[in-house]
Amino acid sequence: MELTTSFDPEVLALPFYEDSHRRLAEEAGAWCDSNRVLWEEIRSLDPDAAGRRLVRALGAAGWLAELDPRGAPVDDFRAVCLRREALAYAEDLADFAFSIQALAATPLLRFGSEAQRRRYLPGMAAGTLIGAFAVSEKEAGSDVASVGLEAVKDAADGSYVLSGRKAWIANGTIADVFVVIARTGQGPGPLGLSAFLVPASTPGLRVERIDAIAPRSFAHLSFEECRLPADALLGRPGKGFVVAVDLLERFRTTVGAAALGFARRAFDTALAHVLGREAYGATLFDLQLVKASLADMEVQLNAAALLVARAAWETDRGSRRFARHSNIAKVHATEAAQGVVDAAVQLLGAAGIVQGSVTERLYRQIRSLRVYEGTSEVLRMAIAGSLDMRRAARATAA
Ligand SMILES: Cc1cc2nc3c(=O)[nH]c(=O)nc-3n(C[C@H](O)[C@H](O)[C@H](O)COP(=O)(O)OP(=O)(O)OC[C@H]3O[C@@H](n4cnc5c(N)ncnc54)[C@H](O)[C@@H]3O)c2cc1C
């Protein structure tokens, strides 16, 4: 039987994890294994129908329960990472459905008022209300501080009028509510941004579907004088940049975890193939260059798993420098996963590129992880900026 999960038990046994995480990994893996019929079903649906079906299924199965503020407060990014790894291994769209729902709910959990949390989060946790997070614009991607979408406050009643555009929004075609970062002008650049909760039904909000390399709900948004009540403001005015950066810094580690899930699936598929494929009177596995390729993949998988575990642990323990570790984990895990998936395609030969095969799907699905939530180049710049210069000073003095 083909397994649909493959956590590395040696990594899970490390002190980065607690017993609750080990149990979660086992349960998440078993759930993914038992849902193969669902994965087949959603691959036959259009991306919007698949997205809705998956968010509901994840909600019904309790995968989103931590988003409900009525439960015990949870700040457990190791758990989010383990869930993403399991889902990415099983089915890209399931990881997408889970991660975007968590991405949209987290600003509400961290910055929302009691009333905002009560209004949106129970539905998001149940999977009956779909969220999306919209910060990017065509002219403001990596440079979040240059967001141009305007929110003008009406002095008469405190309402806001939003005008402008957002780009590349995951869940854009199916979301019921958007967390939107807009310019309210309290200060220049990052100081002039605020976050808003925008129901998809708001008059003046239009959605333009985009077809991506790996089909999913994905869209540009346009706001034509969208009027929002004063209580649509999420967090304090002028703190929108903080809302966005806090979210992205936390979720980067989880992107690394998803990359690990994709890469493990590619590795397992390649290993099964080379063990079974007869060549030269033996199997492909008996060839030294094939073994070297598998060994290189194994090294990359181990390094990625360790970096993700460490970054998630740093986040959960409230380390001041957690963002440095989440940047490192995302850069390495996503870049390594791209290489591992490519190597798996190579080891399968022509069979690796057949449309709809596991490796062909992974080859399309892995690409965007090096772009969203911080491109590899931008994160490298941030990592360089976080280097400890005192070490250099000590080395020079020695
Ligand atoms: C699948 C997918 C889902 C997404 N989902 C969402 C979503 O739900 N919500 C949302 O708001 N956004 C989303 N995005 C947008 C995403 O966050 C941006 O694409 C990303 O931030 C990069 O911005 P950009 O595309 O404008 O590229 P640019 O910022 O224009 O970058 C283009 C190139 O220039 C390089 N570059 C830019 N700045 C620097 C620098 N300072 N130093 C060195 N190189 C640099 C980049 O590394 C890249 O190679 C999504 C994107 C994808 C692909």
Side-chain angles (χ1 to χ4, degrees):
M1 184 172 97
E2 189 200 0
L3 276 181
T4 54
T5 60
S6 92
F7 286 107
D8 181 339
E10 289 178 355
V11 174
L12 282 175
L14 294 172
F16 287 129
Y17 295 105
E18 293 163 22
D19 283 341
S20 61
H21 297 116
R22 296 177 191 109
R23 276 196 302 278
L24 169 68
E26 200 173 315
E27 286 163 16
W31 190 82
C32 289
D33 266 346
S34 67
N35 270 286
R36 264 169 263 195
V37 174
L38 176 61
W39 311 145
E40 285 304 320
E41 181 198 329
I42 60 112
R43 282 176 205 144
S44 69
L45 298 176
D46 70 71
D48 287 3
R52 288 195 190 94
R53 172 91 174 84
L54 281 164
V55 175
R56 273 191 180 270
L58 291 169
W63 279 68
L64 303 166
E66 282 86 1
L67 307 182
D68 190 338
R70 295 170 301 184
V74 194
D75 213 359
D76 189 344
F77 270 79
R78 284 167 290 178
V80 179
C81 286
L82 292 172
R83 289 189 193 282
R84 284 201 72 174
E85 186 180 332
L87 291 171
Y89 190 95
E91 169 50 47
D92 161 56
L93 283 178
D95 167 59
F96 183 76
F98 171 76
S99 61
I100 304 304
Q101 189 78 339
L103 186 79
T106 298
L108 269 154
L109 278 166
R110 293 180 63 74
F111 300 99
S113 67
E114 219 18 69
Q116 289 171 332
R117 289 153 146 248
R118 267 205 311 273
R119 176 169 173 198
Y120 293 108
L121 289 174
M124 291 177 86
T128 53
L129 192 138
I130 298 179
F133 176 71
V135 60
S136 303
E137 299 173 6
K138 281 194 184 160
E139 301 74 25
S142 300
D143 183 10
V144 173
S146 69
V147 156
L149 183 120
E150 256 192 343
V152 178
K153 191 168 182 175
D154 186 334
D157 59 0
S159 64
Y160 288 87
V161 178
L162 270 58
S163 307
R165 296 175 68 82
K166 289 288 172 192
W168 322 119
I169 307 307
N171 273 356
T173 53
I174 60 171
D176 298 296
V177 62
F178 295 92
V179 175
V180 174
I181 306 296
R183 184 159 298 282
T184 39
Q186 280 77 13
L191 302 177
L193 302 178
S194 301
F196 292 91
L197 287 159
V198 184
S201 57
T202 305
L205 173 55
R206 289 198 178 73
V207 175
E208 178 198 336
R209 177 185 308 281
I210 308 162
D211 292 325
I213 184 172
R216 59 201 56 238
S217 167
F218 198 41
H220 295 330
L221 311 177
S222 75
F223 298 75
E224 289 164 23
E225 304 206 347
C226 291
R227 187 171 289 273
L228 299 171
D231 66 2
L233 185 73
L234 174 64
R236 286 193 285 137
K239 293 291 174 197
F241 186 76
V242 175
V243 171
V245 170
D246 173 86
L247 180 68
L248 296 174
E249 285 178 344
R250 276 160 210 283
F251 270 76
R252 271 176 202 141
T253 308
T254 79
V255 182
L260 187 57
F262 288 122
R264 281 200 203 288
R265 182 71 185 267
F267 177 84
D268 289 352
T269 305
L271 181 60
H273 178 80
V274 298
L275 285 170
R277 166 82 153 87
E278 289 182 10
Y280 315 107
T283 67
L284 283 180
F285 182 75
D286 296 301
L287 300 172
Q288 282 188 330
L289 281 177
V290 169
K291 284 184 177 156
S293 175
L294 290 166
D296 288 345
M297 292 158 94
E298 178 69 356
V299 170
Q300 296 292 358
L301 287 170
N302 269 271
L306 290 172
L307 289 172
V308 167
R310 197 249 170 111
W313 175 77
E314 296 280 4
T315 308
D316 286 344
R317 79 186 182 97
S319 159
R320 217 166 35 85
R321 277 162 66 81
F322 82 89
R324 165 182 159 77
H325 297 288
S326 84
N327 291 343
I328 291 172
K330 184 185 183 256
V331 169
H332 182 80
T334 58
E335 294 283 339
Q338 182 89 49
V340 169
V341 169
D342 187 65
V345 171
Q346 194 71 7
L347 286 177
L348 265 81
I353 57 148
V354 173
Q355 203 173 14
S357 66
V358 172
T359 43
E360 184 270 344
R361 288 201 313 260
L362 290 169
Y363 195 73
R364 287 182 291 104
Q365 291 161 354
I366 197 63
R367 187 60 186 87
S368 58
L369 278 70
R370 290 163 57 208
V371 173
Y372 70 72
E373 293 179 36
T375 66
S376 295
E377 294 72 28
V378 167
L379 298 186
R380 283 188 178 102
M381 298 286 288
I383 293 164
S386 71
L387 294 176
D388 184 352
M389 296 304 174
R390 286 168 306 182
R391 288 175 68 103
R394 280 199 300 274
T396 314

